[in-house]
Amino acid sequence: MLEVIIIFALFLIMGMPVAFAIGISGFFFFMQEPALPYTMPVQLVLSETQSFTLLAIPMFMLAGNLLNNTGITSRLLDLASVLAGHLYGTLAQVTVVLSTLMGGVSGSAIADSSMQARILGPDMTKKGYEKGYSAAIIGFSALICIAVPPGIGLVLYGNIGEISIGRLFTGGIVPGLMMMAFLMIAVTITSRKKGYAPEREEMASIDEIIPTFIKSIWALLFPVILIVGLRFGLMTPSEAGSFAAVYAIVIGVLIYKELSWQRFVNSVKDTIGDVGMIIFLISLSSLFSYGIVWDRIPVILTSFLLNISDSPQVIFLIILTFLFFLGMFIDSTVIILLLTSILVPVITRIGIDPVHFGVVMVIICAMGLLTPPVGVAMYSVCSVMECSVGEYMKESYPFLLALFSVIILLVFFPQLVIFLPNLIFN
C-alpha cells in the first residue's frame, strides 16, 4: 500500500485532478495483488454509488442552492447586522454572525466565503477595512458552516464511518457557536487596535430585533426541523435531504415568492456540477479504502499510536496535527473519504467517541481550505477581494489562533461535542 500512496502523491505533485489520482493509484493496488481479481475494482466503483445514505448529499446541496436563491441570504444579513451593529468591527462581526446563520443553509465553507466576499467585501473596503483583513475574517468565519448542520463533511464522515448523522449534526451545534464566539472576540480585539469603530452606539432594541428575526425564521427553523425529524425517526438522513429540497422550494415559491423558474434551473445546474464532482470522488476512493483495509493499515496505525502514548488526548492531538498539515495540500473532502475508514477503528479502540472525533476532524480538515499552498477558499476570497495571499496571511493569525483555541477545548472537553447528542438521542 505504501507504493500506492507514493504514486498518489506523485500524481498530485504533477497536477493531476485528485479524483483521477485516487482512481489510477487505486487500480494500481489491484494490479500488484495477484490474489484479487481485476473485476473487483470495477465492481467496487459501481457498488459505492449504491448507497441510500449518499442520497442525502445531492439533496442537501440542492436545498442549499435553492435557499440561496429565495432571498433568505439577504434576510439573514439584515438579522446579523441588527445583532452585531453595536460591536467593534461591525461588518467583520456581521460576517461571523451571518456565517453562523448560513450554516444551516449552505453547508459549505467555500460557497459561504465566496458569497460573503461578494456581498460584504465591497462595503468593508469602502468603510476602510484592509482588504487582507476582510478576506481573512470572511474566510475563517465560513468554517462555522462546516460544523452547523447540515454540513456535507459530516454527512460524508457519517456515511463512511457508519456513524449516526443525526448525532453528528447535533454534535456540531456547540462547536459552531464556540467558533462564532471566539472569532467575534478576535474581531473585537483586532478592530479596537485598527480603529474599526461600531456602526451604532447602542445595541439594537427588542422592537428592532423581533421583526427582523421573524423575517429570517424560515432559515433558522431549517436545521431545527432536520434534527427533530432525525431524532424521532420521522426521516432517515436521505429523506431529510429530500425534505430539505422540498422545504426550500416551498419557501421560495409560496412564502418569499422569489424563486423564479430561471433561478430554479440555475440551482439545479449548480447542484449537478457539485454532486458530479463529489460522487466521482466517492466512487474512486472506494478502491483506496479497500486497499487500506486489505493491508490492515488501521490495525498497524493503532499499534503505532498506542506505542507513542496511552493518553487518548495526546493521540487525538497527534492525529489532528497530521490532518491539519495534510489539509494544506489535499481537499478536505478527499481527506474525509480516504482516512475515515482508517481513523474510526483507531479512535474507537483508544476510547474516543466517534461523534466527538468526527466533528473535530471535519473542522480541522476544513481549515486546510484557508491555508497555503492549496487553500481553495483562501484563493477564492483573495481573488474576490483583490488582495494578495501575503496580505491575507498577515491578517489571519488572530483568527487562526481563535480556532485553534476552540479545537483544544473540544479535544480536552469532549462533553462540549457529545452533550447535546446524548441529551437528544439518549
Side-chain angles (χ1 to χ4, degrees):
M1 195 65 196
L2 179 60
E3 297 91 340
V4 176
I5 294 173
I6 292 173
I7 291 173
F8 171 63
L10 288 174
F11 281 147
L12 289 182
I13 293 171
M14 292 167 58
M16 179 176 287
V18 176
F20 290 101
I22 293 173
I24 294 173
S25 55
F27 275 108
F28 179 80
F29 167 78
F30 285 89
M31 291 173 63
Q32 66 172 1
E33 289 288 343
L36 298 174
Y38 289 156
T39 56
M40 184 173 286
V42 178
Q43 294 170 349
L44 284 172
V45 170
L46 292 175
S47 63
E48 190 68 18
T49 62
Q50 310 303 306
S51 170
F52 184 68
T53 307
L54 279 182
L55 283 174
I57 294 175
M59 290 296 99
F60 278 127
M61 284 185 163
L62 177 59
N65 287 326
L66 288 170
L67 286 170
N68 284 331
N69 282 292
T70 60
I72 276 182
T73 302
S74 60
R75 289 166 173 82
L76 291 176
L77 179 59
D78 291 341
L79 178 60
S81 300
V82 168
L83 294 175
H86 63 291
L87 301 173
Y88 276 89
T90 297
L91 288 178
Q93 303 281 14
V94 167
T95 295
V96 178
V97 176
L98 180 59
S99 290
T100 308
L101 299 175
M102 283 291 294
V105 176
S106 70
S108 166
I110 298 174
D112 187 57
S113 59
S114 300
M115 179 270 297
Q116 291 206 44
R118 289 183 175 87
I119 293 176
L120 290 171
D123 287 339
M124 295 178 80
T125 303
K126 289 178 184 177
K127 294 286 185 179
Y129 290 73
E130 296 175 27
K131 289 184 177 180
Y133 183 88
S134 301
I137 188 56
I138 287 173
F140 278 91
S141 65
L143 288 177
I144 301 172
C145 292
I146 300 296
V148 178
I152 300 302
L154 295 176
V155 177
L156 285 174
Y157 172 86
N159 179 67
I160 298 169
E162 298 182 355
I163 313 298
S164 166
I165 292 175
R167 289 179 63 86
L168 288 166
F169 280 175
T170 312
I173 293 175
V174 172
L177 295 176
M178 289 177 63
M179 292 165 70
M180 179 190 75
F182 276 64
L183 285 174
M184 291 181 76
I185 291 170
V187 168
T188 300
I189 294 171
T190 53
S191 294
R192 281 179 178 271
K193 292 180 179 180
K194 293 177 176 291
Y196 301 152
E199 296 286 324
R200 55 196 301 168
E201 295 182 1
E202 298 179 355
M203 184 176 179
S205 65
I206 296 297
D207 291 338
E208 291 179 86
I209 294 175
I210 290 179
T212 313
F213 178 83
I214 292 174
K215 290 179 182 178
S216 308
I217 192 67
W218 295 107
L220 302 177
L221 282 176
F222 180 47
V224 176
I225 294 173
L226 293 180
I227 291 174
V228 170
L230 292 169
R231 163 62 183 86
F232 291 102
L234 303 176
M235 299 179 282
T236 64
S238 301
E239 290 166 348
S242 302
F243 167 80
V246 174
Y247 179 90
I249 294 173
V250 171
I251 298 302
V253 174
L254 300 181
I255 297 179
Y256 291 152
K257 300 179 180 179
E258 293 186 24
L259 183 62
S260 64
W261 174 252
Q262 187 58 50
R263 286 187 173 186
F264 174 79
V265 171
N266 291 338
S267 298
V268 173
K269 286 181 179 178
D270 292 340
T271 304
I272 290 172
D274 295 339
V275 170
M277 175 187 67
I278 289 182
I279 298 300
F280 192 47
L281 274 171
I282 292 172
S283 299
L284 293 178
S285 68
S286 64
L287 306 178
F288 227 97
S289 299
Y290 189 90
I292 286 166
V293 175
W294 177 269
D295 283 343
R296 301 176 69 248
I297 289 179
V299 177
I300 297 170
L301 183 60
T302 302
S303 301
F304 172 74
L305 290 172
L306 288 175
N307 286 332
I308 295 176
S309 173
D310 293 330
S311 170
Q313 285 79 16
V314 171
I315 296 175
F316 202 165
L317 289 173
I318 292 171
I319 293 173
L320 292 181
T321 302
F322 168 71
L323 291 174
F324 176 72
F325 283 105
L326 196 62
M328 292 182 176
F329 302 93
I330 304 176
D331 184 79
S332 59
T333 301
V334 178
I335 298 174
I336 294 169
L337 289 172
L338 294 183
L339 297 186
T340 297
S341 56
I342 299 178
L343 295 176
V344 168
V346 174
I347 58 99
T348 304
R349 170 79 181 275
I350 63 177
I352 298 173
D353 188 295
V355 173
H356 175 210
F357 176 79
V359 171
V360 181
M361 174 186 175
V362 169
I363 294 172
I364 201 78
C365 288
M367 289 176 70
L369 296 170
L370 292 158
T371 53
V374 195
V376 178
M378 174 188 70
Y379 288 120
S380 175
V381 172
C382 288
S383 175
V384 174
M385 293 301 303
E386 298 180 350
C387 71
S388 68
V389 173
E391 292 174 301
Y392 163 90
M393 288 304 300
K394 179 183 175 183
E395 303 290 349
S396 293
Y397 296 109
F399 310 124
L400 192 61
L401 180 61
L403 292 180
F404 274 136
S405 300
V406 173
I407 295 295
I408 295 296
L409 287 173
L410 294 178
V411 169
F412 286 96
F413 299 96
Q415 287 300 321
L416 292 171
V417 178
I418 62 176
F419 168 73
L420 272 182
N422 289 344
L423 179 66
I424 296 176
F425 290 86
N426 297 322

